[in-house]
Amino acid sequence: MINGLDSYKAKWNIQTDASIKPGLDAITAALEELGDPHKKGQFVHLAGTNGKGSTAAMLKSILREHGLSVGNFYSPAIFDIHDQIQLNGTPVTPQQLDEAMKQLANLQTPLTDFELLTAAAFLVFNKFAPDVAIIEAGMGGRFDSTNVIDPIISIIPSISYDHTNFLGETIEDITWHKAGIIKKWKPVIIGDLPAEARDIIHATADELHAEVIEARQRINAVLKLKGKHQLQNAGLAIEAAQELLQLEYNAQKAEKGLEKAAIPNRFEEVFPNVIFDGAHNEASIDALAAAIKEEYPNRSIHIIMGVLKDKNYVQILRRFEEVSGRFTFVDFPFERALPAESLFSESKSKIKTIRTLYDILPVQDENEVTIVTGSLYLLTAIRNSNYKLFQNYSTASKEL
């Protein structure tokens, strides 16, 4: 489900499939009908289990400090469809997206929802012609609908277990999908990958005569994005900026860009002592748990969470139980959401409850930090409910 897409589909009578159908045939045919907008412009392509959005946001911020115009295609949405396509950090306007959908209404090629959104992004970037468009793969890489571009650089921040029903259950299988974004003669920048993933990336790159760049940058900037993993993402963004800018690269501007970089739902303090983080798989949960321990070593932690059915929720719970003894499980409206009752039943915590998005939580003592996590779709649902769960927190923050 792409929040906000249905209104455009209804207006222009566009028929698309909400299911996930990996493959490039349909998107390639559709883009050919549109005049191949994806073949115009300069692109950076990101695939990886975690770190794509943060790395893209940091790279965008660095390039903006150097005076470049930048487009971004993110996945999934923060609020709705508009923030998935951005121009210089500003979500595409309804009018701009409507113009793209008007063109898409004439397509003869059947598409999925995500393919439709991908095509809309290419139309927007083709019209407004940013100096660089940074494209985040939706899932995997090799058969993701974004993998029709010929990027200047590819970036793979991390590889771990996620979407195993589509990508396979081994690191080797998952890496094969991610490595599909590497293009002939074009460099690929990689983060700290498992050894087996690293070997596959290097082998693929060798076949394509593509240079592999491993981020080794020392980061001195004070980041808004918290956690040691964000320092690694910052290193990737620096390497990419150096490749893109060449002699125009300025270290001071890059540091300033990193310090300004922000992206919602990445250890984001939404209200005082209320943190939103979209961690939802093994590696990102580990990174979040480490960040919690680092940032709040002497504070009590309250975890509010909801997850999707296809995630290893038992493992997620066990990891969070290492940092918290108090849990609130939330039901939220998404077709793949796991019932909160399942989390409640599995949890070993002695202090636990179930809530809906429209319950109002009481404000706890100042020593407690609330972490809202488990799914980006949960965080989007909370935002779109006008933060009803945190109505008391909002009032309290205004009184401070």
Side-chain angles (χ1 to χ4, degrees):
M1 180 178 71
I2 300 173
N3 189 32
L5 179 60
D6 284 349
S7 62
Y8 290 101
K9 290 170 60 176
K11 178 178 179 178
W12 295 108
N13 193 28
I14 300 173
Q15 304 297 318
T16 52
D17 190 338
S19 64
I20 299 172
K21 296 180 178 180
L24 301 180
D25 290 346
I27 186 66
T28 300
L31 291 170
E32 185 175 354
E33 288 187 58
L34 296 165
D36 289 327
H38 63 298
K39 292 184 178 179
K40 304 167 181 119
Q42 307 273 13
F43 294 99
V44 174
H45 200 190
L46 293 100
T49 309
N50 301 303
K52 299 185 296 295
S54 297
T55 302
M58 291 182 194
L59 179 56
K60 179 264 296 179
S61 191
I62 293 170
L63 296 179
R64 292 293 293 144
E65 283 298 314
H66 283 80
L68 274 65
S69 58
V70 183
N72 280 90
F73 182 48
Y74 291 111
S75 181
I78 303 302
F79 284 99
D80 64 17
I81 187 174
H82 301 94
D83 57 53
Q84 293 190 248
I85 304 171
Q86 297 189 14
L87 296 165
N88 295 327
T90 300
V92 66
T93 67
Q95 180 180 353
Q96 290 166 344
L97 188 54
D98 194 60
E99 290 175 4
M101 291 295 174
K102 182 179 179 180
Q103 296 179 65
L104 294 167
N106 298 317
L107 288 177
Q108 300 300 308
T109 305
L111 297 176
T112 66
D113 285 353
F114 188 73
E115 288 169 339
L116 181 73
L117 180 59
T118 303
F122 289 135
L123 287 174
V124 170
F125 296 146
N126 184 48
K127 178 176 180 179
F128 292 95
D131 295 318
V132 178
I134 303 170
I135 308 296
E136 179 183 341
M139 183 185 70
R142 187 176 298 273
F143 300 125
D144 186 79
S145 62
T146 61
N147 198 30
V148 291
I149 55 176
D150 186 17
I152 307 170
I153 303 167
S154 299
I155 306 174
I156 303 175
S158 68
I159 293 176
S160 60
Y161 295 100
D162 202 6
H163 302 296
T164 54
N165 51 331
F166 286 100
L167 305 181
E169 297 188 357
T170 69
I171 289 295
E172 290 85 353
D173 288 341
I174 294 168
T175 304
W176 182 80
H177 281 276
K178 310 296 185 187
I181 71 166
I182 302 172
K183 300 297 186 293
K184 193 170 185 177
W185 304 110
K186 304 296 175 65
V188 56
I189 303 171
I190 63 173
D192 185 14
L193 306 182
E196 57 268 47
R198 188 175 173 275
D199 290 345
I200 292 170
I201 295 295
H202 275 272
T204 304
D206 286 346
E207 291 176 5
L208 296 170
H209 307 287
E211 179 187 5
V212 178
I213 301 170
E214 300 192 37
R216 305 291 187 194
Q217 297 290 334
R218 180 180 178 86
I219 305 302
N220 297 314
V222 178
L223 304 179
K224 291 181 181 179
L225 297 166
K226 302 299 182 183
K228 291 181 180 178
H229 59 294
Q230 295 294 5
L231 293 173
Q232 297 175 16
N233 294 333
L236 295 169
I238 291 288
E239 293 283 4
Q242 289 176 336
E243 285 293 315
L244 289 166
L245 295 165
Q246 296 292 318
L247 295 177
E248 299 299 316
Y249 176 81
N250 180 290
Q252 290 181 323
K253 290 180 179 178
E255 185 172 317
K256 189 175 181 181
L258 285 178
E259 290 178 348
K260 288 182 177 180
I263 185 170
N265 298 340
R266 274 68 168 185
F267 216 80
E268 176 194 10
E269 189 167 25
V270 178
F271 302 109
N273 295 326
V274 177
I275 307 297
F276 277 26
D277 191 281
H280 59 277
N281 54 48
E282 179 182 341
S284 59
I285 295 296
D286 285 344
L288 174 57
I292 291 169
K293 291 178 179 179
E294 181 181 346
E295 294 293 321
Y296 305 112
N298 300 309
R299 307 279 291 276
S300 59
I301 304 297
H302 172 204
I303 301 287
I304 297 178
M305 66 180 291
V307 301
L308 301 187
K309 294 175 183 176
D310 59 350
K311 305 303 177 186
N312 188 342
Y313 67 93
V314 174
Q315 185 178 27
I316 291 172
L317 275 171
R318 296 293 89 84
R319 190 70 177 95
F320 280 142
E321 285 167 355
E322 295 175 13
V323 297
S324 175
R326 179 169 178 245
F327 286 81
T328 297
F329 304 113
V330 181
D331 282 310
F332 59 103
F334 189 69
E335 65 269 18
R336 287 161 43 218
L338 182 76
E341 177 62 37
S342 298
L343 291 167
F344 184 92
S345 298
E346 181 60 38
S347 171
K348 295 180 179 180
S349 175
K350 294 181 180 179
I351 307 174
K352 56 186 177 181
T353 188
I354 294 175
R355 291 286 184 264
T356 72
L357 289 179
Y358 299 98
D359 291 325
I360 300 175
L361 297 174
V363 178
Q364 301 301 312
D365 65 80
E366 293 182 0
N367 188 54
E368 183 174 86
V369 176
T370 297
I371 310 291
V372 190
T373 189
S375 170
L376 287 164
Y377 296 100
L378 167 66
L379 304 186
T380 296
I382 292 173
R383 291 180 187 275
N384 288 327
S385 69
N386 201 27
Y387 301 98
K388 184 71 172 179
L389 267 173
F390 299 99
Q391 181 175 307
N392 288 339
Y393 288 76
S394 179
T395 302
S397 68
K398 291 175 183 177
E399 292 174 351
L400 293 178

